[in-house]
DNA sequence: ATTCACCCTG
DNA sequence: CAGGGTGAAT
């Protein structure tokens, strides 16, 4: 599914068997997400179930928890080991894990670690979880900074190795990162790194708040149910907070520069929970099932709200630039500020690693030029190749045209989690590589995009037209959605990278509604009429008479194929009527004539001029007659025994082309 | 190696 | 009408 899940599968490979494992599995993921990813890739229900159980355990076994501490280090090193293994032997498992759905943890066995005794395994996981909770109640700052560094470096290794491996295996991953922001760049500028750290801290804080609230609530209930209120060495103050509605007892040592976030988080997430908690106090012990459900529900809310806050926070930090900066984001801003939200994938990392020494503006244009040059020299193939992943972020600016202002990326509301449909919609509108924050401020030089950079979208449109052209007649294009929209689709990437996305797009009427470029049914009709004049049009003729078509190899081939098909039908009819005449006893070639009344002409006219709204030139009748006579002669003299007997006829006919009237040059002649 | 035309098929 | 296969021409 995504990196997080895949790694999750890798690093927790022994999650087979027990139902509990499924929930417990979430916690390592949860913890890791504090550092590098938002919590989006697991189900709330699982987490809540786990937390409900875990809180009890924590309470009872809290003082044991130090016993498990070493396991945390084991866990960390295990990740690193996995990452190394990843490059070699794990590849098969890797792909298996990738193909596995999030809910298929139970079936992803076949790992060496699965042989580990289950009790050990469970203990280890439990230890990790408990350590998290303990650390949350204790001094997150001290613990987190130490572990953060260690884990981050381990995770970094693992992730990079994993990515390296993954890049080789498959490039299209955009749809897999919708909800998973790219991992922080570790090699970027120190400024961006600080920014990353800051954001991670904020995420961590949110998570901590959530866990704390969870503990509060559950311990309240637990105390209510239990006979005594055990001294809660780590969260003692929380009881009061919960009952009084104040969280003053919680002071997160972690340094933060944004108190308002916490405040608003309380307002949004905390208070409703607490109101609910008040009700929970009335819940009887026998109704613990209902209580659990209620808790789950509330926790779902709290988690989602927390995620909202994190996203909102990140979004707002991304906008904390001067207006000028905002309007003209440098590439890394595009990546960091936008791609993370768009969840496209971790490519932004490359933008940091590339030519970090250069002035950004220079890098920006240089990369653009590089891409354009490549686009120029690269042969255009039917299957548009995806540019190397490492260059995607630098490509981004080149592909785009200026977009209408109402498409401003900042219109995108990041305070709410992005849903797949939103992502898809954005991808369809702006293209998968469009940073959500790029376009309204493209440099002027980008506006008048070089022919090469425009070529790619056209290529794809042409290809799309092959698929959708037959539908276009039934879906007249809204006039308001012109080439800009089509261009914005940036289909080459969609087509080549995301099979899934592409298929989704094909099912989306949005696509067929807005593609009016390339070869349309009208072009086909026009080509058919042109066939009355020329059976063998040169590519120059085609280009001359289809001025509204952006020609590339694909389009040209398609047009040539059209005329090939026309000829095919034409010659088939000729042969058929010639043979029929022979069968009918015609002996003289001169008896073979073609008039507007003849069956042959009606057949041809029906094929090329179905609407019969075009006056077929007389010359075509002559050519048709000549062709028919050629066939008649050939068949009469038994030349058709030669496998290539038709070629002589073709040779004659191809010389009979006449000029196409200039009226056909107008794209509006139809 | 590429392009094109033809042929066949669906 | 498009796609795939084939062979000739370049």
């Amino acid at each position: 599914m995504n990196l997080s899940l895949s790694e999750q599968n890798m690093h927790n490979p022994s999650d087979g068997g027990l139902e509990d494992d499924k929930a417990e599995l979430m916690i390592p993921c949860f913890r890791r997400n504090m550092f590098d990813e938002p919590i989006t890739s697991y189900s709330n229900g699982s987490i809540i179930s786990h937390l409900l159980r875990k809180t009890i355990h924590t309470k009872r076994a809290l003082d044991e928890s130090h016993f498990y501490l070493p396991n945390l280090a084991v866990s960390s090193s295990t990740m690193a080991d996995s990452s190394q293994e990843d490059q070699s032997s794990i590849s098969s498992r890797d792909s298996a894990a990738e193909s596995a759905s999030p809910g298929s943890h139970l079936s992803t066995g076949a790992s060496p670690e699965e042989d580990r005794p289950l009790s050990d395994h469970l203990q280890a996981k439990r230890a990790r979880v408990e350590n998290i909770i303990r650390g949350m109640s204790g001094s997150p700052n001290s613990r987190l900074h130490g572990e953060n560094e260690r884990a981050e470096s381990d995770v970094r290794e693992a992730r990079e190795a994993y990515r390296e491996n993954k890049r080789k295996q498959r490039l299209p991953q955009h749809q897999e990162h919708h909800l998973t922001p790219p991992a922080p760049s570790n090699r970027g500028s120190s400024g961006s790194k600080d920014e990353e750290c800051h954001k991670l801290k904020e995420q961590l804080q949110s998570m901590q708040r959530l866990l704390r609230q969870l503990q509060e609530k559950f311990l309240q209930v637990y105390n209510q149910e239990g006979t005594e209120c055990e001294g809660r060495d780590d969260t003692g103050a929380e009881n009061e907070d919960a009952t009084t509605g104040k969280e003053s007892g919680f002071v997160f040592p972690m340094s933060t520069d944004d108190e308002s976030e916490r405040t608003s988080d309380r307002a949004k997430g905390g208070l409703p929970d607490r109101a609910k908690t008040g009700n929970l106090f009335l819940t009887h012990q026998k109704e613990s099932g209902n209580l659990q459900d209620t808790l789950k529900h509330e926790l779902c809310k709290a988690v989602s709200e927390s995620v909202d806050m994190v996203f909102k926070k990140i979004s707002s930090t991304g906008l904390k630039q001067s207006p000028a900066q905002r309007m003209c984001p440098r590439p890394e801003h595009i990546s960091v500020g936008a791609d993370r939200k768009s969840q496209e994938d971790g490519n932004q990392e490359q933008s940091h690693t590339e030519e970090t020494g250069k002035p950004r503006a220079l890098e920006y244009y240089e990369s653009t030029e590089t891409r354009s040059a490549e686009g120029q020299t690269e042969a255009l193939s039917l299957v548009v190749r995806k540019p190397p992943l490492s260059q995607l972020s630098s490509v981004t600016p080149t592909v785009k045209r200026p977009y209408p202002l109402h498409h401003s990326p900042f219109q995108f509301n990041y305070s709410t989690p992005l849903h797949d449909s939103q992502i898809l919609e954005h991808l369809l509108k702006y293209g998968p590589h469009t940073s959500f924050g790029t376009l309204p401020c493209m440099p002027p030089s980008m506006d008048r995009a070089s022919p090469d950079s425009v070529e790619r979208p056209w290529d794809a449109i042409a290809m799309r037209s092959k698929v959708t052209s037959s539908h276009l007649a039934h879906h007249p294009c809204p006039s308001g959605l012109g080439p800009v929209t089509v261009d914005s689709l940036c289909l080459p990437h969609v087509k080549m990278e995301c099979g899934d996305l592409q298929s989704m797009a094909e099912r989306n009427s949005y696509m067929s509604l807005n593609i009016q470029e390339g070869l349309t049914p009208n072009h086909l009709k026009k080509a058919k009429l042109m066939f009355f004049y020329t059976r063998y049009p040169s590519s120059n003729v085609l280009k001359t008479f289809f001025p509204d078509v952006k020609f590339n190899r694909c389009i040209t081939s398609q047009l040539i194929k059209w005329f090939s098909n026309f000829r095919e039908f034409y010659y088939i009819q000729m042969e058929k009527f010639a043979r029929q005449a022979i069968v009918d006893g015609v002996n003289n070639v001169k008896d073979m004539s073609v008039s507007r009344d003849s069956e042959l002409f009606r057949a041809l006219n029906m094929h090329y001029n179905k609407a019969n709204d075009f006056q077929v030139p007389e010359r075509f009748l002559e050519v048709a007659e000549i062709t028919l006579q050629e066939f008649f002669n050939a068949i009469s003299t038994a030349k058709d025994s030669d496998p290539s007997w038709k070629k002589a006829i073709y040779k004659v006919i191809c010389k009979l082309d006449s000029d196409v009237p200039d009226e056909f040059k107008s794209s509006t002649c139809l």
Side-chain angles (χ1 to χ4, degrees):
Chain A
M1 185 65 182
N2 59 31
L3 193 59
S4 147
L5 274 173
S6 304
E7 288 186 350
Q8 181 178 323
N9 283 339
M10 285 168 44
H11 303 323
N12 301 278
S14 49
D15 52 338
L18 293 186
E19 177 102 52
D20 277 9
D21 283 356
K22 197 172 180 181
E24 293 192 353
L25 178 65
M26 295 306 177
I27 282 305
C29 168
F30 193 98
R31 176 172 59 84
R32 294 189 54 243
N33 280 334
M34 289 180 182
F35 298 101
D36 55 20
E37 288 160 350
I39 330 155
T40 49
S41 49
Y42 50 79
S43 80
N44 286 336
S46 299
I47 262 197
I48 288 158
S49 302
H50 167 82
L51 289 175
L52 285 169
R53 282 192 297 272
K54 227 39 190 176
T55 310
I56 300 178
H57 293 162
T58 305
K59 189 181 171 202
R60 286 180 174 162
L62 200 59
D63 39 359
E64 302 174 21
S65 62
H66 68 274
F67 174 77
Y68 298 110
L69 272 177
N71 280 338
L72 193 65
V74 169
S75 145
S76 208
S77 61
T78 302
M79 278 200 290
D81 291 343
S82 291
S83 73
Q84 289 164 7
E85 182 187 1
D86 184 20
Q87 291 205 327
S88 52
S89 63
I90 210 172
S91 59
S92 61
R93 172 156 44 114
D94 177 20
S95 36
E98 283 180 39
S99 61
S101 70
S104 62
H105 297 299
L106 298 179
S107 61
T108 59
S111 107
E113 291 189 40
E114 196 150 39
D115 300 328
R116 209 168 66 184
L118 187 61
S119 58
D120 287 359
H121 170 61
L122 288 177
Q123 279 189 340
K125 280 196 282 193
R126 193 164 123 197
R128 287 198 293 271
V129 169
E130 287 166 351
N131 189 65
I132 291 164
I133 296 179
R134 203 172 54 89
M136 174 201 70
S137 330
S139 170
N141 210 11
S142 56
R143 185 188 72 84
L144 287 174
H145 274 316
E147 171 153 340
N148 200 349
E149 284 180 14
R150 183 181 56 191
E152 196 172 293
S153 93
D154 288 341
V155 169
R156 183 192 318 158
E157 286 180 28
R159 184 184 302 117
E160 287 181 1
Y162 181 70
R163 279 205 187 127
E164 197 66 31
N165 194 18
K166 236 182 159 180
R167 279 188 204 112
K168 295 170 193 166
Q169 294 189 15
R170 41 175 220 168
L171 297 176
Q173 294 178 28
H174 292 270
Q175 72 277 20
E176 301 176 6
H177 298 276
H178 290 167
L179 298 172
T180 305
S185 165
N186 300 292
R187 289 166 292 179
S189 66
S190 61
S192 70
K193 187 169 184 175
D194 291 342
E195 192 181 337
E196 300 290 342
C197 289
H198 177 62
K199 285 166 185 168
L200 292 175
K201 281 181 189 175
E202 288 166 351
Q203 286 188 4
L204 179 59
Q205 285 181 269
S206 296
M207 295 305 112
Q208 287 173 331
R209 274 193 300 276
L210 277 172
L211 281 171
R212 203 172 280 270
Q213 289 171 6
L214 169 66
Q215 279 193 316
E216 289 176 40
K217 278 182 270 186
F218 194 84
L219 283 169
Q220 287 159 13
V221 173
Y222 193 78
N223 291 337
Q224 183 84 354
E225 291 175 354
T227 58
E228 62 174 17
C229 183
E230 298 177 13
R232 293 171 52 206
D233 45 357
D234 56 338
T235 56
E238 294 166 13
N239 285 330
E240 287 183 9
D241 292 332
T243 53
T244 61
K246 305 268 184 188
E247 282 189 0
S248 57
F250 288 109
V251 177
F252 287 87
M254 175 173 292
S255 64
T256 175
D257 55 357
D258 196 346
E259 186 67 27
S260 64
E261 180 207 349
R262 219 181 294 166
T263 308
S264 63
D265 197 27
R266 282 183 205 136
K268 280 194 172 181
L271 289 177
D273 290 348
R274 221 160 283 112
K276 197 74 185 182
T277 307
N279 294 334
L280 295 179
F281 269 95
L282 305 176
T283 306
H284 192 268
Q285 182 177 357
K286 292 175 183 176
E287 299 170 348
S288 59
N290 291 339
L291 174 62
Q292 278 203 357
D293 290 340
T294 309
L295 268 176
K296 287 178 184 176
H297 178 259
E298 288 304 310
L299 287 169
C300 277
K301 269 174 57 181
V303 168
S304 66
E305 283 169 352
S306 175
V307 171
D308 288 356
M309 290 307 299
V310 171
F311 272 72
K312 199 177 206 169
K313 182 65 190 168
I314 294 177
S315 174
S316 66
T317 54
L319 294 175
K320 280 179 186 169
Q321 311 173 35
S322 70
Q325 283 175 307
R326 195 184 323 158
M327 288 309 291
C328 294
R330 297 172 302 176
E332 72 271 27
H333 282 121
I334 294 166
S335 302
V336 173
D339 276 11
R340 174 171 304 122
K341 290 151 203 150
S342 64
Q343 330 280 330
E344 295 200 17
D345 61 21
N347 296 337
Q348 52 107 7
E349 189 172 317
Q350 267 69 29
S351 73
H352 292 286
T353 59
E354 285 177 4
E355 307 172 291
T356 51
K358 287 181 184 174
R360 288 297 173 185
L362 182 58
E363 173 186 340
Y364 182 73
Y365 288 105
E366 282 182 355
S367 63
T368 296
E369 287 169 10
T370 301
R371 291 304 309 164
S372 295
E374 283 185 17
Q376 197 165 16
T377 56
E378 186 177 271
L380 299 167
S381 60
L382 289 176
V383 179
V384 179
R385 285 179 290 277
K386 176 184 178 178
L389 193 62
S390 63
Q391 305 190 30
L392 285 181
S393 33
S394 57
V395 173
T396 302
T398 70
V399 192
K400 307 307 172 219
R401 284 179 176 175
Y403 295 102
L405 278 181
H406 66 270
H407 283 163
S408 168
F410 297 105
Q411 177 188 10
F412 219 90
N413 184 4
Y414 298 113
S415 63
T416 56
L418 297 178
H419 297 292
D420 285 355
S421 58
Q422 290 176 282
I423 304 286
L424 175 62
E425 184 178 347
H426 178 90
L427 290 176
L428 293 178
K429 281 184 180 176
Y430 306 113
H433 296 145
T434 317
S435 310
F436 287 89
T438 3
L439 298 164
C441 48
M442 293 302 289
S445 61
M446 293 298 108
D447 287 359
R448 39 175 182 76
S450 71
D452 303 309
S453 61
V454 199
E455 193 82 6
R456 294 164 172 270
W458 275 105
D459 294 351
I461 290 157
M463 290 188 294
R464 286 288 314 169
S465 73
K466 293 170 81 171
V467 178
T468 58
S469 61
S470 58
H471 310 300
L472 291 177
H474 313 297
H475 299 283
C477 308
S479 57
L481 299 166
V484 169
T485 304
V486 174
D487 214 353
S488 311
L489 290 174
C490 191
L491 288 169
H493 307 297
V494 174
K495 187 176 184 94
M496 61 199 170
E497 295 167 11
C498 324
D500 294 345
L501 191 59
Q502 176 72 6
S503 60
M504 289 173 74
E506 304 215 358
R507 277 181 260 118
N508 192 334
S509 59
Y510 180 93
M511 305 296 287
S512 50
L513 281 177
N514 294 285
I515 294 174
Q516 63 178 5
E517 307 297 338
L519 292 176
T520 66
N522 275 343
H523 289 127
L524 177 60
K525 185 180 178 185
K526 183 177 178 177
K528 284 179 172 181
L529 296 183
M530 285 172 61
F531 185 78
F532 286 125
Y533 298 91
T534 173
R535 269 63 58 187
Y536 294 86
S538 68
S539 58
N540 279 339
V541 168
L542 294 178
K543 283 171 184 164
T544 303
F545 287 91
F546 291 96
D548 57 338
V549 172
K550 187 78 177 181
F551 274 84
N552 55 41
R553 198 167 58 181
C554 177
I555 294 285
T556 306
S557 297
Q558 188 180 358
L559 269 172
I560 290 174
K561 181 70 176 180
W562 279 0
F563 277 86
S564 176
N565 288 330
F566 299 160
R567 286 192 298 270
E568 192 164 17
F569 179 82
Y570 176 81
Y571 288 128
I572 286 173
Q573 296 300 311
M574 294 298 169
E575 180 178 357
K576 188 172 89 178
F577 277 88
R579 291 190 185 277
Q580 186 62 44
I582 292 172
V583 168
D584 291 346
V586 176
N587 293 320
N588 195 338
V589 190
K590 298 189 185 301
D591 293 336
M592 304 293 297
S593 64
V594 175
S595 71
R596 296 181 190 271
D597 298 330
S598 63
E599 285 282 331
L600 175 57
F601 176 81
R602 286 214 288 269
L604 295 174
N605 193 52
M606 183 59 71
H607 190 72
Y608 307 116
N609 183 25
K610 190 167 270 182
N612 201 24
D613 52 2
F614 179 77
Q615 179 70 18
V616 179
E618 200 67 28
R619 173 65 177 164
F620 177 75
L621 293 174
E622 299 172 13
V623 174
E625 190 170 297
I626 296 172
T627 310
L628 182 61
Q629 292 173 354
E630 288 290 329
F631 270 93
F632 180 90
N633 284 332
I635 295 170
S636 301
T637 56
K639 287 179 183 171
D640 56 343
S641 58
D642 181 354
S644 58
W645 64 282
K646 291 179 185 176
K647 289 190 177 177
I649 303 176
Y650 299 156
K651 212 167 185 174
V652 173
I653 305 305
C654 74
K655 294 173 182 171
L656 302 179
D657 279 5
S658 49
D659 292 338
V660 181
D662 285 347
E663 298 90 89
F664 282 86
K665 289 179 180 173
S666 166
S667 58
T668 60
C669 73
L670 297 173

